[in-house]
Amino acid sequence: MEEIPPFEYDDEDALSAGQRLFADVLAARARSWPVDPLGAVLLPPPRTPYGRLLAYLDIDDPELRRGVLTVGAHFDGAAVRGDRLHNQDFTLPGTPTELAFAADRVGPAEAASRTADWFESVLARPLARCEWLHDGRTYAVRYEYADTGRGLSEGFVDRLAPPRPRARLAADGVDGGRGRINRAGLGEPDRVTVVRGDPAAVR
């Protein structure tokens, strides 16, 4: 089966010459990235929230095949803005995060090159999966940047948790995977696995 290339587009997308150049330069760089090509997506302006070309990456945990983070860049032909994106409507956050990226007054090829540099810097950061276990089964998981401890996503399975954490998290409104997990309240994780990036960069 032929592999789908990253940031693929077709004639029906009706991209301008500049948009095609941006996509082609980005796709050439992306071929060596440790990501599923199906998670390296290009959306034409009619399908994006700001009416700009959008290139985004779904970053996952390769072992568990679980989505962790969506990052992307909106390109308007002369400027590009990137950051963590909402994983359903692909909007930028109201307040830029530590991942924010911008380049102004650049041509399509340079914008794509800088966007590729940015994507590569995000992929290089050490992403860790922290797990809390009970009777050998994971009841809480949190993905975070291992160099800073900044949380990215998390989950909690109340039926697998021991009674004390289950009661406390239920009181905090965490039930059936809903709500935010207070990592400090769970104590140190039973298992920490660096799933992406350089383990030597872990703090």
Side-chain angles (χ1 to χ4, degrees):
M1 179 182 294
E2 185 177 354
E3 183 175 293
I4 296 175
F7 303 117
E8 184 182 36
Y9 63 88
D10 56 40
D11 291 339
E12 294 180 358
D13 292 329
L15 301 183
S16 69
Q19 290 169 337
R20 288 174 182 266
L21 179 57
F22 177 89
D24 292 343
V25 171
L26 194 57
R29 289 278 295 273
R31 289 190 181 96
S32 63
W33 296 349
V35 296
D36 183 343
L38 292 175
V41 181
L42 192 78
L43 290 181
R47 297 166 53 194
T48 65
Y50 307 114
R52 304 171 192 151
L53 185 68
L54 170 63
Y56 74 85
L57 288 180
D58 281 326
I59 298 175
D60 64 0
D61 177 342
E63 181 181 348
L64 300 186
R65 296 184 176 275
R66 176 181 293 177
V68 177
L69 174 69
T70 299
V71 292
H74 294 265
F75 174 61
D76 69 3
V80 62
R81 295 280 184 277
D83 207 331
R84 181 175 185 169
L85 301 180
H86 189 285
N87 64 3
Q88 294 180 354
D89 64 17
F90 307 114
T91 52
L92 293 163
T95 301
T97 74
E98 65 185 80
L99 299 177
F101 154 75
D104 295 308
R105 300 177 186 174
V106 292
E110 179 65 18
S113 179
R114 294 190 191 186
T115 300
D117 290 343
W118 174 66
F119 277 135
E120 288 170 0
S121 71
V122 173
L123 290 169
R125 292 189 64 179
L127 176 62
R129 180 179 68 241
C130 302
E131 297 174 89
W132 288 263
L133 309 177
H134 178 60
D135 290 338
R137 302 175 72 182
T138 299
Y139 70 88
V141 61
R142 172 183 163 96
Y143 288 92
E144 59 184 38
Y145 279 129
D147 54 346
T148 63
R150 175 69 177 266
L152 298 172
S153 65
E154 53 199 19
F156 175 72
V157 183
D158 50 358
R159 63 183 175 78
L160 299 180
R164 183 172 296 175
R166 183 170 64 240
R168 186 187 60 76
L169 288 169
D172 290 344
V174 180
D175 181 24
R178 294 185 296 274
R180 301 288 294 179
I181 297 171
N182 181 348
R183 185 190 195 284
L186 291 175
E188 289 300 309
D190 298 297
R191 182 165 59 205
V192 177
T193 306
V194 176
V195 297
R196 283 190 177 277
D198 182 5
V202 176
R203 62 189 174 98

